[in-house]
Amino acid sequence: MTNTATLPRPDVHPGPPKLDRDQLRRAQQETLDTPRMKYSLLAKMMFKPVDIMYGKEGSFTKFAMLEIIARVPYQAWERMGYWAVHRHRTRSGLARRVFERIVEARSDQDNEQFHLLIMEDLIDRQGLRRNWLLHRAAPWLIALFYYHVSWVLFLVRPDWSYRLNAEFEDHAEHEYMTFVAENPDLEFVPDPGTYADEYGRYRSVADLLRQIGHDERVHKLDSLENMREPRVAA
């Protein structure tokens, strides 16, 4: 039998840190005290339709829509990453660096997926009605647009793709933190804990939303950091 040497498996991307109650409150205030990024035309083209269809104010249904869209750039980067790994598979060091970026993108995508599942659970618990146009067709169309924009930007100028995602995550961070500030009654609504095993359990829905908002900040900072070295393959 021939022994086959393999590269060590990359560490699993840990994802955003889980904060305690005091840290969550501080994180919220930091967000509220920090001006939003200067959004590009492309970012505004995504934000505006969502505001028109779901209202300018935050809501669980609006956040579910945002989370459907939020997964998209990570899916596009993962696809491009696998293409790059295949292209540079004979250069093990480079292939490994690309694969580590894939692991990061997949972890962030999973984090956004839990945000969506949590929002859908909160919507169900409130008995909110959803229709086919606003909650199926519209999210799919906007996500399809965002996917192709992220993919093309990454192909042409990866830093542009990372910048667009940073703008989207900055928008989501502020939306969540502002929503909690404007709805103090959420402090007295217990976290249902439907996904506690995977995402953690919090004292209230307010803290749960603060954690999601902080996750979005971490994703934003990761994208801004990746802009410094947008290409791991040359």
Side-chain angles (χ1 to χ4, degrees), residues 194-211:
T194 306
Y195 296 97
D197 290 343
E198 301 86 357
Y199 193 76
R201 182 180 292 276
Y202 299 87
R203 182 170 179 174
S204 65
V205 169
D207 282 347
L208 176 63
L209 297 181
R210 288 184 181 109
Q211 178 65 59

Side-chain angles (χ1 to χ4, degrees), residues 73-165:
Y74 304 108
Q75 294 170 345
W77 299 339
E78 183 181 357
R79 175 188 174 188
M80 293 297 293
Y82 279 118
W83 174 81
V85 167
H86 174 74
R87 179 185 177 190
H88 300 287
R89 62 191 182 279
T90 59
R91 300 167 61 187
S92 60
L94 178 55
R96 178 179 175 82
R97 292 198 302 274
V98 175
F99 186 64
E100 287 172 348
R101 190 68 65 88
I102 293 173
V103 171
E104 178 182 343
R106 195 161 55 228
S107 175
D108 291 341
Q109 182 184 160
D110 290 345
N111 181 252
E112 299 288 9
Q113 181 65 59
F114 274 115
H115 295 174
L116 175 60
L117 293 173
I118 290 168
M119 288 303 111
E120 293 289 354
D121 179 65
L122 293 174
I123 290 170
D124 287 341
R125 289 176 182 278
Q126 284 198 341
L128 300 176
R129 298 184 63 182
R130 286 167 282 187
N131 62 59
W132 181 86
L133 178 61
L134 289 181
H135 301 100
R136 290 186 181 273
W140 183 83
L141 289 172
I142 296 177
L144 183 67
F145 169 79
Y146 192 19
Y147 178 88
H148 285 92
V149 167
S150 297
W151 187 86
V152 170
L153 287 179
F154 194 86
L155 186 65
V156 177
R157 284 283 302 269
D159 56 316
W160 290 352
S161 187
Y162 286 126
R163 170 71 190 195
L164 181 60
N165 186 63

